[in-house]
Amino acid sequence: MTVPTLAPEGHLLIVGAGLAGYHTARGVRAHGHTGPITIIGEEHRAAYDRPALSKAYLTGAAAEEDLLLDDPEDPLDVTWVSGVGVVGLRAEPLGVHTDDGAFHTADAVVITTGASALSLPSLDSSEDRGGCAPARPYVLRNMEDALALRDTPLHGADVVVVGGGFLALESAATCVARGAGSVTVAAGEEDPGARRLGSPVARAIRSAHEARGIRFAPGARAQGLRRRPPSDGGPHYEVLLGDGGVLPADIVICAIGAEPRTEWLLDSFVRLCTQSGAVLCDDTGATSVPGVYAAGDCAQWASHSSGLRPVGHWQEAFEEAAVVAAALTGSDPVPLQEPYFWSDQFDLRIQGVGRIHLADDVTVVDGTSDGGDLLVHYSRDGVNVGILGINRLRDVTRWRRGSRIRPASAEAPGPTPVSA
Amino acid sequence: MQVAFRACSVQDLTAGEGLRIDSVSPPIAVFLTEEGSVHAVDDTCTHQDASLAAGWVEDCRVECPLHESTFSLLSGAVDQPPAKRPVRVHHVTLHGDDVLVELSQEAPNLPPGMGTV
């Protein structure tokens, strides 16, 4: 046991009602915290899980209640403050100012404000627009974003998806499922994910998408979008590529990353990363201000800063919440597991685990790029540091279990070193 | 009265792994534990469409291969999120090498949007 930061009867204030915020509250309760917990959320909605926003929710197969994090049959003992934005953090006395003029005092604060979607710049000049609002793409970050796209007729539409990550590719797959006339992905590289995941994986993803009629634009990065003159007829928008190429589109979906929601902390004493704006934390989630922690997409923990772990995965937010909950309550420290991510695109289930971002070599171990059964190993200096499988659940599970770090406790042996 | 059906042979099973049986709907998973016991539960994780047969079996529990919820092979109960609901447990009897399964009469807890993109 370590010394708790938060007394069992203390008030825990969680800022941000997403995955990390919800699971921090859940973890703290599981560790026996009896004091009040308040979760402030910007949206007028119950806390929900985001992965389905680009998949089942976007096709209409899943409804809002299917995405809820809390169990209505066994709800967390938490006070939800919804539809309220935060404007500032105060260290003395500790608490948070909200945009309705209130000040919420707390014995400990956990910042889980997440990230907001980056967007593509509008390249319209004001006279081109003829009084119209600047051209803006759809993004997919929160339920409102997904709802807007879900309510937009896609049948027969020419869709351009900007971005080459999993969110972009899942969106492209969903648009095909919804009957789009054409879907073109501007991934910013020839084969999507080649730089991050290696050529065999990128080729496998590309060939699966091409087999469903998705086209890939040349590898030049998208520079922005603008309205097309109505006299030209056809699609209303166009995406401009860095090589001068132009992609006409009825619908533009932008999935080019996200930036931490930390602008409300600029006047506080919480240290932020000068590049990304993320809240800088140690590997228990503690920030530079005593009693203030951060987790999830708004935070950059020490092992992220040192390049040991990637930022922004669902699994990171989920695990960090457990680590923070243990730290707050003085419970046995919870170690972070090997990084893990997954993505569903058509009938491909892609799972990656380990230090893939650190690899200097990728080897196909089994399957082929065209077979929907690829298995690759990643290595660094000749040591296997990660694995990625396409429809290889059993292999990925085995690797993941083999590298699992056991929690340190009185009963269990200490953490085993990872071969990375 | 519910009649048991032959799901597979014990010879088809590998200790510590599951075998997906999709001749029934929803599909079930039959497990042979390292300790030698045979169990059958619904194959689909209640959180998201993932085959529990590909999951990790330990201490008479199976961990979903997609996330970290684990289900008891004895009761079907789930231990931690993201799954919230248990899987159904089906009654297993062994007749020689034949694994006979009597399907649960409860309604399955299937994940939302199953079988879609």
Side-chain angles (χ1 to χ4, degrees):
Chain A
M1 299 282 281
T2 53
V3 181
T5 304
L6 177 66
E9 67 281 0
H11 178 209
L12 175 61
L13 179 61
I14 297 173
V15 187
L19 182 72
Y22 172 78
H23 279 291
T24 300
R26 199 188 149 90
V28 164
R29 281 280 182 248
H31 287 304
H33 184 73
T34 54
I37 300 177
T38 305
I39 303 182
I40 300 177
E42 186 181 40
E43 295 173 70
H44 280 283
R45 298 177 186 280
Y48 59 89
D49 207 6
R50 293 175 199 274
L53 292 181
S54 56
K55 301 180 281 276
Y57 183 78
L58 201 51
T59 62
E64 178 169 350
E65 56 265 30
D66 295 323
L67 274 52
L68 298 184
L69 288 166
D70 206 12
D71 184 352
E73 291 175 23
D74 183 23
L76 273 185
D77 177 12
V78 161
T79 301
W80 298 93
V81 179
S82 300
V84 175
V86 286
V87 291
L89 176 87
R90 204 154 110 192
E92 282 288 340
L94 185 61
V96 168
H97 292 281
T98 49
D99 59 8
D100 55 0
F103 180 70
H104 302 258
T105 58
D107 296 305
V109 173
V110 181
I111 300 166
T112 54
T113 39
S116 52
L118 292 170
S119 191
L120 209 52
S122 167
L123 301 175
D124 291 319
S125 62
S126 49
E127 56 265 33
D128 291 345
R129 297 206 310 267
C132 296
R136 276 177 49 197
Y138 289 91
V139 294
L140 280 171
R141 188 71 201 175
N142 58 36
M143 198 174 279
E144 211 64 45
D145 299 331
L147 200 55
L149 189 56
R150 181 161 114 162
D151 288 346
T152 300
L154 292 184
H155 197 83
D158 292 326
V159 178
V160 171
V161 179
V162 179
F166 287 147
L167 183 65
L169 295 161
E170 289 174 356
S171 309
T174 304
C175 289
V176 169
R178 286 185 48 193
S182 75
V183 179
T184 305
V185 176
E189 56 185 331
E190 281 300 321
D191 295 327
R195 281 189 294 267
R196 285 182 304 120
L197 304 174
S199 286
V201 175
R203 279 201 305 273
I205 293 171
R206 180 173 179 142
S207 75
H209 282 253
E210 284 179 337
R212 272 78 171 190
I214 291 176
R215 291 195 290 260
F216 287 85
R221 273 182 188 281
Q223 303 295 303
L225 83 160
R226 66 182 177 208
R227 288 174 195 277
R228 280 156 60 93
S231 53
D232 290 5
H236 293 309
Y237 301 102
E238 57 193 17
V239 172
L240 278 74
L241 300 180
D243 63 359
V246 173
L247 306 171
D250 298 307
I251 306 279
V252 179
I253 300 170
C254 181
I256 54 172
E259 57 184 351
R261 294 287 309 275
T262 55
E263 64 287 348
W264 64 286
L265 294 167
L266 286 173
D267 293 332
S268 73
F269 291 102
V270 172
R271 273 186 62 217
L272 305 178
C273 171
T274 50
Q275 277 133 34
S276 68
V279 180
L280 292 172
C281 303
D282 68 14
D283 271 350
T284 68
T287 70
S288 55
V289 175
V292 179
Y293 287 70
D297 290 355
C298 68
Q300 185 174 305
W301 289 21
S303 50
H304 298 126
S305 301
S306 61
L308 282 173
R309 306 182 69 84
V311 184
H313 293 151
W314 185 96
Q315 187 72 21
E316 289 290 306
F318 183 71
E319 287 186 26
E320 286 170 17
V323 174
V324 169
L328 279 169
T329 53
S331 307
D332 291 332
V334 173
L336 288 164
Q337 303 294 333
E338 285 290 292
Y340 168 72
F341 59 83
W342 83 99
S343 175
D344 292 336
Q345 298 162 34
F346 302 113
D347 54 357
L348 305 187
R349 172 154 284 165
I350 304 164
Q351 293 173 291
V353 53
R355 316 291 169 101
I356 292 174
H357 60 292
L358 297 180
D360 56 22
D361 188 52
V362 50
T363 312
V364 175
V365 179
D366 197 18
T368 62
S369 287
D370 294 325
D373 61 350
L374 188 68
L375 186 67
V376 301
H377 274 188
Y378 297 91
S379 56
R380 181 180 177 86
D381 300 330
V383 177
N384 178 216
V385 295
I387 188 175
L388 184 144
I390 298 181
N391 299 329
R392 303 296 295 237
L393 276 77
R394 210 179 281 277
D395 299 287
V396 173
T397 296
R398 205 172 283 145
W399 198 96
R400 210 172 158 206
R401 287 301 301 227
S403 61
R404 177 149 299 180
I405 301 153
R406 298 282 180 173
S409 73
E411 296 82 38
T416 40
V418 184
S419 59
Chain B
M1 186 187 142
Q2 177 70 11
V3 181
F5 74 101
R6 180 187 180 278
C8 59
S9 162
V10 172
Q11 304 301 325
D12 301 330
L13 301 173
T14 305
E17 293 190 358
L19 178 68
R20 176 180 158 105
I21 308 289
D22 53 13
S23 59
V24 291
S25 180
I28 65 170
V30 178
F31 295 93
L32 173 62
T33 64
E34 299 284 358
E35 295 75 31
S37 57
V38 179
H39 307 270
V41 301
D42 280 340
D43 183 53
T44 310
C45 176
T46 60
H47 166 245
Q48 203 181 333
D49 186 6
S51 171
L52 294 177
W56 188 263
V57 180
E58 195 172 280
D59 299 334
C60 231
R61 303 190 70 87
V62 59
E63 179 178 306
C64 174
L66 203 50
H67 299 122
E68 285 170 16
S69 296
T70 78
F71 298 89
S72 165
L73 296 179
L74 301 173
S75 69
V78 62
D79 68 331
Q80 62 163 342
K84 297 170 192 157
R85 306 271 168 265
V87 288
R88 297 183 305 171
V89 176
H90 308 290
H91 188 253
V92 172
T93 45
L94 295 180
H95 189 262
D97 273 357
D98 288 345
V99 176
L100 304 178
V101 173
E102 192 180 317
L103 290 176
S104 163
Q105 295 298 290
E106 294 166 35
N109 291 313
L110 295 174
M114 201 184 130
T116 57
V117 174

Short mmCIF file of all heavy atoms in Angstrom, two decimals, chain B residues 53-91:
data_model
loop_
_atom_site.label_atom_id
_atom_site.label_comp_id
_atom_site.label_asym_id
_atom_site.label_seq_id
_atom_site.Cartn_x
_atom_site.Cartn_y
_atom_site.Cartn_z
N ALA B 53 -13.89 -18.19 -28.19
CA ALA B 53 -13.11 -19.41 -28.42
C ALA B 53 -11.64 -19.08 -28.66
O ALA B 53 -10.77 -19.91 -28.39
CB ALA B 53 -13.68 -20.18 -29.61
N ALA B 54 -11.36 -17.88 -29.17
CA ALA B 54 -9.98 -17.47 -29.41
C ALA B 54 -9.36 -16.80 -28.19
O ALA B 54 -8.23 -16.32 -28.25
CB ALA B 54 -9.91 -16.52 -30.61
N GLY B 55 -10.11 -16.76 -27.10
CA GLY B 55 -9.61 -16.05 -25.91
C GLY B 55 -8.70 -16.92 -25.06
O GLY B 55 -8.49 -18.10 -25.33
N TRP B 56 -8.19 -16.30 -24.02
CA TRP B 56 -7.22 -16.96 -23.15
C TRP B 56 -7.96 -17.63 -21.99
O TRP B 56 -8.77 -17.00 -21.33
CB TRP B 56 -6.23 -15.93 -22.61
CG TRP B 56 -5.11 -16.55 -21.87
CD1 TRP B 56 -4.99 -16.72 -20.52
CD2 TRP B 56 -3.92 -17.10 -22.44
NE1 TRP B 56 -3.82 -17.34 -20.23
CE2 TRP B 56 -3.12 -17.58 -21.38
CE3 TRP B 56 -3.44 -17.22 -23.75
CZ2 TRP B 56 -1.89 -18.17 -21.58
CZ3 TRP B 56 -2.21 -17.81 -23.95
CH2 TRP B 56 -1.44 -18.28 -22.88
N VAL B 57 -7.65 -18.91 -21.76
CA VAL B 57 -8.32 -19.66 -20.70
C VAL B 57 -7.36 -19.86 -19.53
O VAL B 57 -6.23 -20.33 -19.72
CB VAL B 57 -8.79 -21.04 -21.22
CG1 VAL B 57 -9.50 -21.80 -20.10
CG2 VAL B 57 -9.72 -20.86 -22.41
N GLU B 58 -7.83 -19.47 -18.36
CA GLU B 58 -7.01 -19.63 -17.16
C GLU B 58 -7.93 -19.64 -15.96
O GLU B 58 -8.87 -18.84 -15.89
CB GLU B 58 -6.02 -18.45 -17.07
CG GLU B 58 -4.88 -18.69 -16.09
CD GLU B 58 -3.84 -17.55 -16.20
OE1 GLU B 58 -3.01 -17.60 -17.11
OE2 GLU B 58 -3.89 -16.63 -15.37
N ASP B 59 -7.67 -20.52 -15.02
CA ASP B 59 -8.45 -20.59 -13.79
C ASP B 59 -9.95 -20.67 -14.07
O ASP B 59 -10.75 -20.02 -13.40
CB ASP B 59 -8.15 -19.39 -12.89
CG ASP B 59 -6.69 -19.34 -12.48
OD1 ASP B 59 -6.06 -20.42 -12.46
OD2 ASP B 59 -6.18 -18.24 -12.23
N CYS B 60 -10.31 -21.47 -15.05
CA CYS B 60 -11.72 -21.68 -15.39
C CYS B 60 -12.43 -20.39 -15.78
O CYS B 60 -13.63 -20.22 -15.55
CB CYS B 60 -12.46 -22.37 -14.24
SG CYS B 60 -13.36 -23.81 -14.83
N ARG B 61 -11.66 -19.47 -16.38
CA ARG B 61 -12.24 -18.25 -16.93
C ARG B 61 -11.69 -18.08 -18.34
O ARG B 61 -10.57 -18.52 -18.63
CB ARG B 61 -11.88 -17.00 -16.11
CG ARG B 61 -12.28 -17.07 -14.65
CD ARG B 61 -12.09 -15.70 -13.98
NE ARG B 61 -13.07 -14.74 -14.48
CZ ARG B 61 -14.28 -14.61 -13.96
NH1 ARG B 61 -14.66 -15.34 -12.93
NH2 ARG B 61 -15.13 -13.72 -14.46
N VAL B 62 -12.45 -17.40 -19.19
CA VAL B 62 -11.93 -17.09 -20.52
C VAL B 62 -11.90 -15.57 -20.66
O VAL B 62 -12.85 -14.88 -20.31
CB VAL B 62 -12.75 -17.75 -21.65
CG1 VAL B 62 -14.21 -17.32 -21.64
CG2 VAL B 62 -12.12 -17.42 -23.01
N GLU B 63 -10.75 -15.07 -21.16
CA GLU B 63 -10.63 -13.63 -21.38
C GLU B 63 -10.93 -13.33 -22.83
O GLU B 63 -10.41 -13.98 -23.75
CB GLU B 63 -9.21 -13.17 -21.05
CG GLU B 63 -9.00 -11.68 -21.28
CD GLU B 63 -7.61 -11.21 -20.91
OE1 GLU B 63 -7.18 -11.47 -19.77
OE2 GLU B 63 -6.93 -10.62 -21.77
N CYS B 64 -11.78 -12.34 -23.06
CA CYS B 64 -12.12 -11.93 -24.42
C CYS B 64 -10.85 -11.57 -25.19
O CYS B 64 -9.99 -10.87 -24.66
CB CYS B 64 -13.07 -10.73 -24.38
SG CYS B 64 -13.39 -10.07 -26.02
N PRO B 65 -10.70 -12.03 -26.42
CA PRO B 65 -9.48 -11.74 -27.17
C PRO B 65 -9.39 -10.28 -27.65
O PRO B 65 -8.36 -9.86 -28.15
CB PRO B 65 -9.57 -12.68 -28.37
CG PRO B 65 -11.01 -12.95 -28.54
CD PRO B 65 -11.62 -12.90 -27.17
N LEU B 66 -10.47 -9.52 -27.47
CA LEU B 66 -10.45 -8.15 -27.96
C LEU B 66 -10.11 -7.18 -26.82
O LEU B 66 -9.29 -6.28 -26.98
CB LEU B 66 -11.81 -7.80 -28.57
CG LEU B 66 -11.83 -6.67 -29.57
CD1 LEU B 66 -10.77 -6.83 -30.64
CD2 LEU B 66 -13.21 -6.57 -30.22
N HIS B 67 -10.77 -7.36 -25.68
CA HIS B 67 -10.51 -6.50 -24.52
C HIS B 67 -10.18 -7.40 -23.33
O HIS B 67 -9.77 -8.52 -23.53
CB HIS B 67 -11.70 -5.58 -24.28
CG HIS B 67 -11.95 -4.69 -25.45
ND1 HIS B 67 -13.13 -4.66 -26.12
CD2 HIS B 67 -11.14 -3.82 -26.08
CE1 HIS B 67 -13.06 -3.81 -27.12
NE2 HIS B 67 -11.85 -3.28 -27.13
N GLU B 68 -10.39 -6.88 -22.14
CA GLU B 68 -9.90 -7.64 -21.00
C GLU B 68 -10.99 -8.16 -20.08
O GLU B 68 -10.69 -8.59 -18.97
CB GLU B 68 -8.89 -6.81 -20.23
CG GLU B 68 -7.57 -6.75 -20.98
CD GLU B 68 -6.61 -5.75 -20.41
OE1 GLU B 68 -6.81 -5.30 -19.28
OE2 GLU B 68 -5.66 -5.41 -21.11
N SER B 69 -12.22 -8.13 -20.52
CA SER B 69 -13.26 -8.75 -19.69
C SER B 69 -13.04 -10.25 -19.69
O SER B 69 -12.75 -10.84 -20.73
CB SER B 69 -14.64 -8.44 -20.27
OG SER B 69 -14.90 -7.06 -20.23
N THR B 70 -13.19 -10.86 -18.51
CA THR B 70 -13.12 -12.32 -18.47
C THR B 70 -14.45 -12.87 -17.98
O THR B 70 -15.14 -12.25 -17.18
CB THR B 70 -11.97 -12.84 -17.58
OG1 THR B 70 -12.35 -12.75 -16.22
CG2 THR B 70 -10.68 -12.09 -17.83
N PHE B 71 -14.79 -14.05 -18.49
CA PHE B 71 -16.06 -14.69 -18.15
C PHE B 71 -15.78 -16.03 -17.47
O PHE B 71 -14.90 -16.79 -17.93
CB PHE B 71 -16.89 -14.94 -19.42
CG PHE B 71 -17.27 -13.67 -20.15
CD1 PHE B 71 -16.42 -13.15 -21.12
CD2 PHE B 71 -18.45 -13.01 -19.86
CE1 PHE B 71 -16.75 -11.98 -21.79
CE2 PHE B 71 -18.79 -11.84 -20.53
CZ PHE B 71 -17.94 -11.32 -21.50
N SER B 72 -16.53 -16.31 -16.44
CA SER B 72 -16.42 -17.59 -15.76
C SER B 72 -16.98 -18.69 -16.65
O SER B 72 -18.09 -18.55 -17.18
CB SER B 72 -17.18 -17.55 -14.44
OG SER B 72 -17.36 -18.87 -13.96
N LEU B 73 -16.24 -19.77 -16.80
CA LEU B 73 -16.75 -20.90 -17.59
C LEU B 73 -17.80 -21.68 -16.80
O LEU B 73 -18.53 -22.49 -17.35
CB LEU B 73 -15.60 -21.82 -18.00
CG LEU B 73 -14.56 -21.19 -18.93
CD1 LEU B 73 -13.45 -22.18 -19.25
CD2 LEU B 73 -15.20 -20.69 -20.22
N LEU B 74 -17.86 -21.42 -15.49
CA LEU B 74 -18.81 -22.13 -14.63
C LEU B 74 -20.14 -21.39 -14.52
O LEU B 74 -21.20 -22.00 -14.56
CB LEU B 74 -18.21 -22.32 -13.23
CG LEU B 74 -16.90 -23.10 -13.20
CD1 LEU B 74 -16.30 -23.08 -11.80
CD2 LEU B 74 -17.13 -24.53 -13.65
N SER B 75 -20.07 -20.06 -14.39
CA SER B 75 -21.30 -19.29 -14.18
C SER B 75 -21.61 -18.34 -15.32
O SER B 75 -22.71 -17.83 -15.42
CB SER B 75 -21.19 -18.48 -12.88
OG SER B 75 -20.22 -17.45 -13.05
N GLY B 76 -20.61 -18.04 -16.16
CA GLY B 76 -20.80 -17.07 -17.23
C GLY B 76 -20.60 -15.63 -16.78
O GLY B 76 -20.61 -14.72 -17.60
N ALA B 77 -20.39 -15.43 -15.47
CA ALA B 77 -20.30 -14.07 -14.93
C ALA B 77 -19.07 -13.34 -15.46
O ALA B 77 -18.02 -13.94 -15.68
CB ALA B 77 -20.27 -14.11 -13.41
N VAL B 78 -19.21 -12.02 -15.66
CA VAL B 78 -18.11 -11.20 -16.15
C VAL B 78 -17.46 -10.51 -14.96
O VAL B 78 -18.14 -10.14 -13.99
CB VAL B 78 -18.62 -10.18 -17.20
CG1 VAL B 78 -19.63 -9.22 -16.62
CG2 VAL B 78 -17.46 -9.42 -17.83
N ASP B 79 -16.13 -10.34 -15.04
CA ASP B 79 -15.43 -9.76 -13.88
C ASP B 79 -15.21 -8.27 -13.99
O ASP B 79 -15.18 -7.58 -12.99
CB ASP B 79 -14.08 -10.47 -13.69
CG ASP B 79 -13.11 -10.15 -14.81
OD1 ASP B 79 -13.57 -9.88 -15.94
OD2 ASP B 79 -11.89 -10.15 -14.58
N GLN B 80 -14.99 -7.75 -15.18
CA GLN B 80 -14.64 -6.32 -15.28
C GLN B 80 -15.04 -5.79 -16.66
O GLN B 80 -15.22 -6.54 -17.61
CB GLN B 80 -13.14 -6.12 -15.05
CG GLN B 80 -12.27 -6.81 -16.09
CD GLN B 80 -10.84 -6.28 -16.10
OE1 GLN B 80 -10.55 -5.22 -15.61
NE2 GLN B 80 -9.93 -7.04 -16.69
N PRO B 81 -15.20 -4.44 -16.77
CA PRO B 81 -15.56 -3.84 -18.06
C PRO B 81 -14.47 -4.14 -19.10
O PRO B 81 -13.36 -4.48 -18.72
CB PRO B 81 -15.62 -2.35 -17.75
CG PRO B 81 -15.64 -2.24 -16.27
CD PRO B 81 -14.95 -3.45 -15.74
N PRO B 82 -14.77 -3.91 -20.37
CA PRO B 82 -15.95 -3.20 -20.86
C PRO B 82 -17.24 -4.03 -20.92
O PRO B 82 -18.30 -3.43 -21.04
CB PRO B 82 -15.54 -2.77 -22.27
CG PRO B 82 -14.50 -3.76 -22.68
CD PRO B 82 -13.77 -4.12 -21.43
N ALA B 83 -17.19 -5.35 -20.87
CA ALA B 83 -18.45 -6.11 -20.90
C ALA B 83 -19.20 -5.90 -19.58
O ALA B 83 -18.59 -5.73 -18.52
CB ALA B 83 -18.16 -7.58 -21.12
N LYS B 84 -20.52 -5.89 -19.68
CA LYS B 84 -21.34 -5.70 -18.48
C LYS B 84 -22.19 -6.93 -18.17
O LYS B 84 -22.57 -7.15 -17.04
CB LYS B 84 -22.30 -4.51 -18.66
CG LYS B 84 -21.62 -3.17 -18.86
CD LYS B 84 -22.66 -2.12 -19.28
CE LYS B 84 -21.99 -0.86 -19.77
NZ LYS B 84 -22.89 -0.10 -20.65
N ARG B 85 -22.55 -7.68 -19.22
CA ARG B 85 -23.50 -8.79 -19.06
C ARG B 85 -22.78 -10.13 -19.12
O ARG B 85 -21.78 -10.27 -19.83
CB ARG B 85 -24.55 -8.75 -20.17
CG ARG B 85 -25.27 -7.44 -20.30
CD ARG B 85 -26.52 -7.38 -19.42
NE ARG B 85 -27.01 -6.02 -19.37
CZ ARG B 85 -26.71 -5.15 -18.40
NH1 ARG B 85 -25.95 -5.52 -17.39
NH2 ARG B 85 -27.18 -3.92 -18.42
N PRO B 86 -23.32 -11.14 -18.43
CA PRO B 86 -22.70 -12.47 -18.49
C PRO B 86 -22.98 -13.16 -19.82
O PRO B 86 -23.90 -12.78 -20.55
CB PRO B 86 -23.40 -13.22 -17.34
CG PRO B 86 -24.74 -12.55 -17.21
CD PRO B 86 -24.51 -11.10 -17.56
N VAL B 87 -22.19 -14.17 -20.12
CA VAL B 87 -22.53 -15.06 -21.23
C VAL B 87 -23.36 -16.23 -20.66
O VAL B 87 -23.29 -16.52 -19.46
CB VAL B 87 -21.28 -15.63 -21.95
CG1 VAL B 87 -20.59 -14.57 -22.75
CG2 VAL B 87 -20.33 -16.29 -20.96
N ARG B 88 -24.13 -16.86 -21.51
CA ARG B 88 -24.88 -18.03 -21.06
C ARG B 88 -23.94 -19.23 -20.94
O ARG B 88 -23.00 -19.38 -21.73
CB ARG B 88 -25.99 -18.38 -22.06
CG ARG B 88 -27.03 -17.32 -22.23
CD ARG B 88 -28.10 -17.78 -23.17
NE ARG B 88 -27.54 -18.20 -24.47
CZ ARG B 88 -28.24 -18.81 -25.41
NH1 ARG B 88 -29.51 -19.10 -25.22
NH2 ARG B 88 -27.67 -19.14 -26.56
N VAL B 89 -24.20 -20.06 -19.97
CA VAL B 89 -23.44 -21.30 -19.80
C VAL B 89 -24.33 -22.45 -20.26
O VAL B 89 -25.52 -22.48 -19.94
CB VAL B 89 -23.04 -21.50 -18.33
CG1 VAL B 89 -22.33 -22.83 -18.15
CG2 VAL B 89 -22.14 -20.36 -17.88
N HIS B 90 -23.77 -23.34 -21.04
CA HIS B 90 -24.53 -24.49 -21.55
C HIS B 90 -24.05 -25.76 -20.86
O HIS B 90 -22.85 -25.92 -20.59
CB HIS B 90 -24.35 -24.60 -23.07
CG HIS B 90 -24.65 -23.32 -23.78
ND1 HIS B 90 -25.91 -22.80 -23.89
CD2 HIS B 90 -23.82 -22.40 -24.34
CE1 HIS B 90 -25.88 -21.65 -24.54
NE2 HIS B 90 -24.61 -21.37 -24.82
N HIS B 91 -25.00 -26.62 -20.57
CA HIS B 91 -24.68 -27.83 -19.80
C HIS B 91 -23.96 -28.85 -20.69
O HIS B 91 -24.40 -29.13 -21.80
CB HIS B 91 -25.98 -28.42 -19.23
CG HIS B 91 -25.72 -29.54 -18.28
ND1 HIS B 91 -25.97 -30.85 -18.59
CD2 HIS B 91 -25.20 -29.53 -17.03
CE1 HIS B 91 -25.63 -31.60 -17.56
NE2 HIS B 91 -25.16 -30.84 -16.59
#
